[in-house]
């Protein structure tokens, strides 16, 4: 009986180790992409780019929030998504809250901003922060971002 239980346990463990049946997911930095230029063309606002080295679209805008708006845009899995602001701190930086929380149909996002130091501005822009995205399917990522207020 012990051998039968041990054999069943080993078989179950081996089945869990089978990588051919696991769903292969893209690396977390591949799911977030550039916001399409057509979605931000002619608009002015906070344009943030990824600062992390392995990010495939380092020079493209990954987060855009129009000046005076409580919504923002992010591109995920090849599609642009509107994020609606659910919380914002009272302290602002150039008219944008330093801490913001957003929601969309199947995700939440949080943005934390701070002014860039003078030695950081040349390389990164006037704003530095972190964008955290969580999907309801359990996927999440944290992206260091930087950028400036600009018109597209």
């Amino acid at each position: 009986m012990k051998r039968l239980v041990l054999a069943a346990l080993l078989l179950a463990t081996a089945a869990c180790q089978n990588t051919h049946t696991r769903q292969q997911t893209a690396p977390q930095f591949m799911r977030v992409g550039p916001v399409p230029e057509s979605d931000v063309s002619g608009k002015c606002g906070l344009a943030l780019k990824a600062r992390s080295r392995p990010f495939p679209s380092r020079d493209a805008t990954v987060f855009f929030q129009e000046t005076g708006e409580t919504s923002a845009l992010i591109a995920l899995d090849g599609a642009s998504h509107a994020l609606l602001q659910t919380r914002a701190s009272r302290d602002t930086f150039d008219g944008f809250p330093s801490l913001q929380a957003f929601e969309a149909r199947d995700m939440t996002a949080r943005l934390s901003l701070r002014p860039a130091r003078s030695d950081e501005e040349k390389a990164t822009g006037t704003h530095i922060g972190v964008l955290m995205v969580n999907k309801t399917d359990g996927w999440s990522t944290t992206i260091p971002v930087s950028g400036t207020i600009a018109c597209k």
Side-chain angles (χ1 to χ4, degrees):
M1 182 68 168
K2 288 181 184 179
R3 287 185 185 180
L4 183 60
V5 171
L6 182 59
L9 183 60
L10 287 173
L11 185 60
T13 302
C16 290
Q17 296 298 321
N18 185 354
T19 59
H20 298 293
T21 59
R22 287 186 194 162
Q23 181 182 3
Q24 297 296 320
T25 58
Q28 55 181 309
F29 58 85
M30 296 295 285
R31 294 189 70 176
V32 176
V35 173
E37 285 295 320
S38 59
D39 290 351
V40 296
S41 181
K43 297 178 181 177
C44 297
L46 180 64
L48 299 175
K49 300 174 182 183
R51 288 178 37 212
S52 56
R53 181 50 95 185
F55 201 87
S57 302
R58 189 168 180 187
D59 293 327
T61 300
V62 297
F63 178 92
F64 183 82
Q65 184 176 16
E66 195 170 358
T67 302
E69 296 293 322
T70 58
S71 61
L73 289 174
I74 163 178
L76 186 63
D77 295 332
S80 185
H81 297 274
L83 299 169
L84 301 175
Q85 186 186 75
T86 58
R87 287 181 312 211
S89 63
R90 289 180 185 233
D91 58 317
T92 61
F93 174 60
D94 290 341
F96 292 91
S98 60
L99 296 170
Q100 297 184 73
F102 299 92
E103 282 186 0
R105 185 175 52 102
D106 60 349
M107 77 178 89
T108 59
R110 290 186 348 197
L111 177 65
S112 172
L113 283 178
R114 70 168 174 83
R117 295 185 311 263
S118 59
D119 61 324
E120 294 172 317
E121 279 189 39
K122 286 182 184 175
T124 62
T126 57
H127 301 73
I128 290 183
V130 175
L131 176 64
M132 294 165 278
V133 181
N134 296 297
K135 293 222 7 143
T136 55
D137 66 4
W139 178 86
S140 66
T141 189
T142 301
I143 305 168
V145 291
S146 64
T148 189
I149 297 172
C151 293
K152 295 289 187 172

